[in-house]
């Protein structure tokens, strides 16, 4: 644990101390606002207006200084360019070496400026979070959204840093020209990727990448994955060593995600036929499909706990469980045993390692590519969801080898068993277990002790300086920091605020009312989607006499809408509307999709079923993305680590929804296939109405 004041003294640039965001002043203001509102002397609207004005002033001070420094750097580069042109006319080795060093010096000064911008950007985020925590508002989202895209906003300079790219480009190009490139007619623009670049240029590129805060489709997908990160973590001090990161292990992790989703949905088009071939009713397909989700409710917990100690062993166990489960599923046909069929699906559910998949990306992937890895997790899930039914549609053959039958019902089990066997072999050969924190704990503690000793004297001498100007808000990620001198007595201690939840009860107590509503929304949308997907084969065969291939095509088309919809929402819609507006609108569209799916007064037709199902599914996908995006931002930081983390809570909510939905299909079957559709849609409609009401009640507290 590093104190905020100590960290600041070590990181800030002395000459620039007056241009940082004044954290001490702003924190005192937040405390004053709280006292004034409590005493009734200040209206909340006036507080918001005054705090917004103060933030604008602080940001303007920082941005104008940043632009001034950029201008000075640009002036130095212009002078160096004149010297550069003169040297090109009359080459001189000593002057070239001197000029190179001058360019590098400009680069090092630019690096200092980038650190300055990064500190202030994170500081802005921290003070906004503190304000929201103190007053229970969602002021941060409002402030950033209203300033980020406004043509006169200073905030754009902080987050987009356009001028920095021009300075980096000038340094990079001139250093490249000064290298020994005789006989080459190419410039850096002809070679986008240079194999050997000056170390200063590499450092600048890395600093700019770390400073970039993405708001595009990739960021939306990553939040969709709900791979939570420490709130204080920023790119500047990522605790994951790049040398320990293993790309093949990440691919294997994503491969597990993809195969599991294929395994989940590959049986959906044929589950009703398989049930009837074993002497059960067609609606027993709900139990067959849902048994995997039942087991996943329990497997998610022990996999999450297991990932605290290892990633390789849980993935091996997952592969073996899924291999055995698929063999049991396939052999149930020749054994004529519905019990063996259900046991096979339960065994597959026990191999659900999605908690491990999320945790691996959160803990073992460097921050600079974690966004891409998180987006890959969502993409792999979406692709698996589409490939499962499509693959089932291709397995329309029938043959026998010895006493084993291979047909459209059993082939999904055989194919997946072979796939998991190959995956297990690849896993054992290529996966590399990442180093745990405890492996280097003693060495790290010694290093920290030495660093503390070496800086104590400097810290004591620095205390006499005026603190009002010396305390910009900031903290770099990867180091847990609290301002020990400024902590309010009413706030949690740093140890308590970082301690992960130790049980579901612990985790539940950390949920705010708005987060509980969002988990309810997640339950609702997963319930509605599971009803649509799981009963599709029964409904379409009864009303429209669809074949297995037709059902598979329909389900595959639904799955293929996931990524395009996320692209549209992440790249366009989320930039035009507030998340809470998209959330409520999507819920209402889901409501109408469910409502129009009912079979009431007119003969049920294919267009009615397909259009209403597509509308409901697409709206639910939009709702899922926005809802998980919100959850990833508002859940307590204590739920970013440990067994009972935010990812586990969302997984459990979604899995329970699937279990209840599949049980509803089976129970609805007792009313007869002619009443199944309405019987299963009615609970979906009721839950949807409840979630809409809950959203309206907490609308003002949502981002």
């Amino acid at each position: 644990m590093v104190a905020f004041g100590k960290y600041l003294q070590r990181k800030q640039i002395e000459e620039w101390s007056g241009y940082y965001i004044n954290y001490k002043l702003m924190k005192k203001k937040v405390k004053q606002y709280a006292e004034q509102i409590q005493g009734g002397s200040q209206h909340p609207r006036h507080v918001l207006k005054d705090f917004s004005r103060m933030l604008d002033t602080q940001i303007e001070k920082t941005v104008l200084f940043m632009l001034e420094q950029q201008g000075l750097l640009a002036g130095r580069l212009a002078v160096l360019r004149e010297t550069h042109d003169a040297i090109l006319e009359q080459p001189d080795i000593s002057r070239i070496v001197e000029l190179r060093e001058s360019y590098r010096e400009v680069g090092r000064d630019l690096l200092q400026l980038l650190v300055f911008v990064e500190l202030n950007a994170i500081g802005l985020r921290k003070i906004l979070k503190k304000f929201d925590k103190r007053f229970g508002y969602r002021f941060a989202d409002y402030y950033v959204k209203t300033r980020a895209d406004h043509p006169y906003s200073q905030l754009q300079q902080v987050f987009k840093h356009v001028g920095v790219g021009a300075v980096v480009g000038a340094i990079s190009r001139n250093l490249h020209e000064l290298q020994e490139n005789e006989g080459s007619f190419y410039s850096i623009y002809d070679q986008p990727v240079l194999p050997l670049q000056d170390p200063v240029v590499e450092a600048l590129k890395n600093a700019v990448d770390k400073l970039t805060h993405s708001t595009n489709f990739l960021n939306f997908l990553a939040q969709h994955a709900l791979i939570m990160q420490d709130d204080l973590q920023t790119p500047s001090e990522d605790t994951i060593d790049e040398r320990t990161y293993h790309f093949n292990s990440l691919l294997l992790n994503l491969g597990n995600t993809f195969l599991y989703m294929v395994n989940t949905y590959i049986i959906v088009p044929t589950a009703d036929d398989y049930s009837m071939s074993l002497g059960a009713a067609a609606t027993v397909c709900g139990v067959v499909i849902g048994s995997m989700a039942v087991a996943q409710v329990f497997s998610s917990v022990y996999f999450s706990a297991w990932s605290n100690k290892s990633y390789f062993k849980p993935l091996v166990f997952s592969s073996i469980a899924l291999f055995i489960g698929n063999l049991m599923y396939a052999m149930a046909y020749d054994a004529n045993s519905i019990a063996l069929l259900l046991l096979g699906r339960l065994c597959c559910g026990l191999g659900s390692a999605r908690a491990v998949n999320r945790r691996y990306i959160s803990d073992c992937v460097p921050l600079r590519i974690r966004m891409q890895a998180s987006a890959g997790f969502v993409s792999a899930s979406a692709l698996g969801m589409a490939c499962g039914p499509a693959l089932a549609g291709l397995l329309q053959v029938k043959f026998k080898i010895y006493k084993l039958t291979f047909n459209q019902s059993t082939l999904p089990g055989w194919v997946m068993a072979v796939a998991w066997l190959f995956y297990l072999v690849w896993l054992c050969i290529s996966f590399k277990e990442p180093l745990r924190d405890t492996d280097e704990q003693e060495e790290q503690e010694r290093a920290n002790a030495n660093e503390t000793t070496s800086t104590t004297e400097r810290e004591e001498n620095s205390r006499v300086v005026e603190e009002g100007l010396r305390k910009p808000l900031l903290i770099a990620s990867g180091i847990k920091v609290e301002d020990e001198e400024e902590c309010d007595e009413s706030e949690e201690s740093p140890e308590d605020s970082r301690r992960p939840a130790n049980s579901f009860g612990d985790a539940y107590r950390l949920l705010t009312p708005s987060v509980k509503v969002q988990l309810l929304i997640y339950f609702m949308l997963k319930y509605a989607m599971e009803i649509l997907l799981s009963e599709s084969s029964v409904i379409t065969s009864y009303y429209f006499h669809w074949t297995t291939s037709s059902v598979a095509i329909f389900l595959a088309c639904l799955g293929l809408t996931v990524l395009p919809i996320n692209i549209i929402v992440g790249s366009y819609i989320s930039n035009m509307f507030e998340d809470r507006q998209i959330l409520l609108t999507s819920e209402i569209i889901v409501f109408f999709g469910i409502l129009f799916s009912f079979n009431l007064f007119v003969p049920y037709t294919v267009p009615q079923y397909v259009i209403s199902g597509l509308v409901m599914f697409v709206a639910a996908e939009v709702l899922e993305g926005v809802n998980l995006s919100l959850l990833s931002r508002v859940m307590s930081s204590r739920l970013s680590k440990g067994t009972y983390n935010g990812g586990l809570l969302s997984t459990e909510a979604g899995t329970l929804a699937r279990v209840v939905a599949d049980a509803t299909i089976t129970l609805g079957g007792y009313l007869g296939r002619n009443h199944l559709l309405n019987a299963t849609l009615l609970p979906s409609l009721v839950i949807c109405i409840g979630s809409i009401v809950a959203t309206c009640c907490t609308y003002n507290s949502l981002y």
Side-chain angles (χ1 to χ4, degrees):
M1 183 68 65
V2 180
F4 174 79
K6 295 178 181 179
Y7 175 80
L8 178 59
Q9 290 172 7
R10 192 168 69 244
K11 286 294 184 181
Q12 75 172 357
I13 300 172
E14 190 71 30
E15 296 81 6
W16 298 354
S17 60
Y19 299 99
Y20 289 89
I21 292 177
N22 194 331
Y23 174 63
K24 182 178 181 180
L25 172 64
M26 299 186 74
K27 185 171 181 180
K28 285 183 176 179
K29 270 291 186 182
V30 171
K31 188 175 181 180
Q32 288 176 8
Y33 291 146
E35 294 173 352
Q36 290 171 356
I37 291 178
Q38 187 175 5
S41 60
Q42 190 72 278
H43 193 278
R45 288 187 179 275
H46 295 157
V47 167
L48 294 177
K49 182 179 180 180
D50 189 55
F51 190 61
S52 297
R53 184 189 58 78
M54 180 180 295
L55 281 174
D56 292 339
T57 302
Q58 292 289 321
I59 292 172
E60 182 179 83
K61 173 186 66 176
T62 299
V63 168
L64 292 178
F65 177 76
M66 179 185 72
L67 294 175
E68 178 187 355
Q69 293 300 311
Q70 285 183 6
L72 294 175
L73 294 175
R76 290 166 60 185
L77 287 173
V79 173
L80 292 177
R81 182 72 243 182
E82 295 177 0
T83 306
H84 192 160
D85 292 338
I87 290 177
L88 290 179
E89 294 178 2
Q90 296 181 350
D92 185 331
I93 297 299
S94 62
R95 294 181 65 192
I96 290 176
V97 172
E98 182 181 345
L99 184 59
R100 276 188 198 165
E101 186 56 35
S102 297
Y103 276 120
R104 292 186 183 118
E105 186 63 31
V106 175
R108 285 188 281 269
D109 289 343
L110 179 58
L111 278 173
Q112 286 189 325
L113 184 61
L114 290 175
V115 171
F116 171 83
V117 176
E118 181 185 18
L119 290 176
N120 283 283
I122 304 168
L124 173 64
R125 187 181 68 190
K126 183 175 172 67
I127 197 66
L128 286 170
K129 180 182 176 182
K130 186 175 291 292
F131 185 89
D132 284 352
K133 181 178 179 181
R134 171 74 71 147
F135 297 102
Y137 297 149
R138 292 295 179 260
F139 173 75
D141 190 65
Y142 156 78
Y143 185 83
V144 173
K145 281 195 172 184
T146 54
R147 268 73 173 171
D149 297 320
H150 195 280
Y152 304 127
S153 172
Q154 304 286 2
L155 196 60
Q156 290 193 33
Q157 299 295 331
V158 178
F159 289 130
K160 297 183 179 180
H161 46 273
V162 179
V164 172
V167 180
V168 174
I171 296 171
S172 176
R173 182 176 66 84
N174 286 293
L175 282 175
H176 178 70
E177 286 183 359
L178 291 173
Q179 291 177 354
E180 295 180 1
N181 288 318
E182 289 145 358
S184 174
F185 297 95
Y186 295 103
S187 72
I188 62 171
Y189 304 109
D190 301 311
Q191 306 175 70
V193 181
L194 298 175
L196 295 174
Q197 290 188 330
D198 192 283
V200 171
V201 176
E202 284 290 344
L204 286 171
K205 288 177 63 179
N206 291 334
V208 172
D209 289 342
K210 290 174 181 178
L211 186 57
T212 300
H213 292 264
S214 175
T215 56
N216 58 9
F217 165 59
L218 197 62
N219 186 42
F220 185 81
L221 280 183
Q223 292 175 327
H224 194 162
L226 196 62
I227 295 171
M228 299 189 65
Q229 300 176 13
D230 193 321
D231 288 337
L232 297 179
Q233 190 170 12
T234 66
S236 62
E237 296 189 13
D238 189 9
T239 57
I240 299 173
D241 191 343
E242 294 274 356
R243 294 170 296 179
T244 64
Y245 162 64
H246 193 236
F247 178 71
N248 285 340
S249 299
L250 175 60
L251 285 182
L252 284 162
N253 187 67
L254 297 177
N256 183 280
T257 300
F258 169 76
L259 285 178
Y260 184 79
M261 293 301 290
V262 173
N263 212 141
T264 300
Y265 290 100
I266 193 173
I267 73 158
V268 173
T270 59
D272 58 334
D273 289 338
Y274 204 167
S275 300
M276 289 190 293
S277 68
L278 298 180
T283 52
V284 174
C285 70
V287 175
V288 175
I289 297 170
S291 56
M292 192 170 178
V294 171
Q296 188 180 345
V297 172
F298 303 98
S299 66
S300 296
V301 179
Y302 66 72
F303 269 116
S304 183
W306 203 350
S307 64
N308 291 327
K309 298 181 180 180
S310 173
Y311 297 101
F312 175 68
K313 292 178 181 178
L315 290 177
V316 169
F317 177 81
S318 168
S319 305
I320 294 173
L322 284 154
F323 171 73
I324 295 173
N326 281 291
L327 283 182
M328 295 170 67
Y329 181 86
M331 291 189 293
Y333 186 89
D334 294 304
N336 194 31
S337 171
I338 190 71
L340 185 61
L341 182 73
L342 294 175
L343 284 175
R345 289 295 287 179
L346 282 169
C347 191
C348 288
L350 292 175
S352 171
R354 288 178 68 80
V356 178
N357 302 147
R358 282 191 174 104
R359 184 74 176 273
Y360 182 87
I361 295 174
S362 176
D363 292 354
C364 304
V365 176
L367 193 59
R368 66 179 179 83
I369 63 167
R370 194 172 303 162
M371 196 70 74
Q372 292 92 324
S374 303
F377 175 84
V378 176
S379 301
S381 300
L383 188 61
M385 183 179 178
C387 288
L391 185 58
L394 298 175
L395 301 177
Q396 302 300 303
V397 295
K398 185 175 182 179
F399 58 93
K400 202 163 187 175
I401 299 178
Y402 297 108
K403 295 183 179 182
L404 298 177
T405 302
F406 297 84
N407 57 25
Q408 66 175 14
S409 297
T410 62
L411 274 172
W414 292 117
V415 168
M416 292 311 302
V418 172
W420 283 112
L421 183 61
F422 276 107
Y423 174 81
L424 180 60
V425 174
W426 182 28
L427 182 71
C428 294
I429 294 173
S430 300
F431 191 87
K432 181 180 179 181
E433 181 74 77
L435 294 175
R436 316 299 297 188
D437 293 340
T438 53
D439 296 339
E440 301 177 350
Q441 185 176 3
E442 293 183 0
E443 181 180 349
Q444 188 65 35
E445 287 178 355
R446 287 196 299 269
N448 290 340
N450 292 336
E451 182 181 356
T452 302
T453 302
S454 64
T455 59
T456 299
E457 184 176 353
R458 184 176 69 252
E459 291 163 359
E460 288 298 324
N461 293 334
S462 300
R463 292 182 187 277
V464 298
V465 182
E466 182 81 26
E467 291 188 358
L469 297 177
R470 294 176 51 86
K471 294 203 172 186
L473 162 67
L474 255 72
I475 239 172
S477 114
I479 294 185
K480 283 82 176 174
V481 188
E482 283 293 330
D483 189 347
E484 295 176 345
E485 298 174 355
E486 299 180 10
C487 279
D488 296 330
E489 294 181 0
S490 59
E491 295 180 0
E492 290 182 306
S493 67
E495 291 78 9
D496 290 340
S497 66
R498 310 307 305 151
R499 181 172 54 84
N502 295 320
S503 66
F504 277 119
D506 238 2
Y508 182 81
R509 285 189 289 272
L510 293 173
L511 302 180
T512 62
S514 60
V515 173
K516 293 175 183 177
V517 169
Q518 288 171 276
L519 288 176
L520 171 63
I521 294 171
Y522 192 61
F523 179 93
M524 178 275 291
L525 68 92
K526 283 297 182 183
Y527 181 92
M529 291 171 68
E530 187 72 8
I531 288 291
L532 173 66
L533 298 175
S534 295
E535 71 176 10
S536 58
S537 58
V538 179
I539 296 300
T540 54
S541 63
Y542 177 76
Y543 286 104
F544 317 128
H545 306 291
W546 279 8
T547 62
T548 300
S549 297
S550 300
V551 178
I553 292 172
F554 172 67
L555 295 178
C557 289
L558 288 180
L560 289 173
T561 63
V562 174
L563 284 180
I565 291 301
N566 280 322
I567 291 175
I568 294 172
V569 175
S571 299
Y572 302 105
I573 297 179
S574 63
N575 294 327
M576 298 168 61
F577 303 99
E578 294 182 11
D579 285 350
R580 60 181 181 177
Q581 293 174 328
I582 303 174
L583 190 79
L584 184 56
T585 303
S586 300
E587 286 183 90
I588 294 173
I589 296 176
V590 169
F591 168 79
F592 282 110
I594 296 172
L595 189 63
F596 292 145
S597 297
F598 278 90
N599 178 24
L600 297 175
F601 308 112
V602 296
Y604 207 53
T605 62
V606 173
Q608 180 185 353
Y609 177 76
V610 172
I611 294 174
S612 60
L614 183 62
V615 168
M616 189 270 288
F617 186 84
V618 168
E621 275 300 321
V622 174
L623 183 60
E624 180 177 9
V626 176
N627 191 54
L628 290 183
S629 174
L630 285 168
L631 277 172
S632 68
R633 297 202 299 266
V634 301
M635 271 193 176
S636 169
S637 59
R638 289 178 58 186
L639 295 175
S640 64
K641 296 290 183 182
T643 300
Y644 301 92
N645 54 65
L648 176 63
L649 293 181
S650 65
T651 299
E652 291 292 84
T655 304
L656 284 172
R658 292 173 52 205
V659 171
V660 175
D662 292 323
T664 303
I665 294 172
T666 301
L667 293 175
Y670 288 104
L671 300 176
R673 296 178 70 179
N674 57 324
H675 296 298
L676 177 64
L677 180 65
N678 291 344
T680 52
L681 287 176
L682 185 60
S684 299
L685 192 67
V686 172
I687 298 173
C688 185
I689 293 173
S691 71
I692 293 174
V693 172
T695 301
C696 292
C697 292
T698 59
Y699 186 79
N700 290 330
S701 65
L702 295 174
Y703 268 102

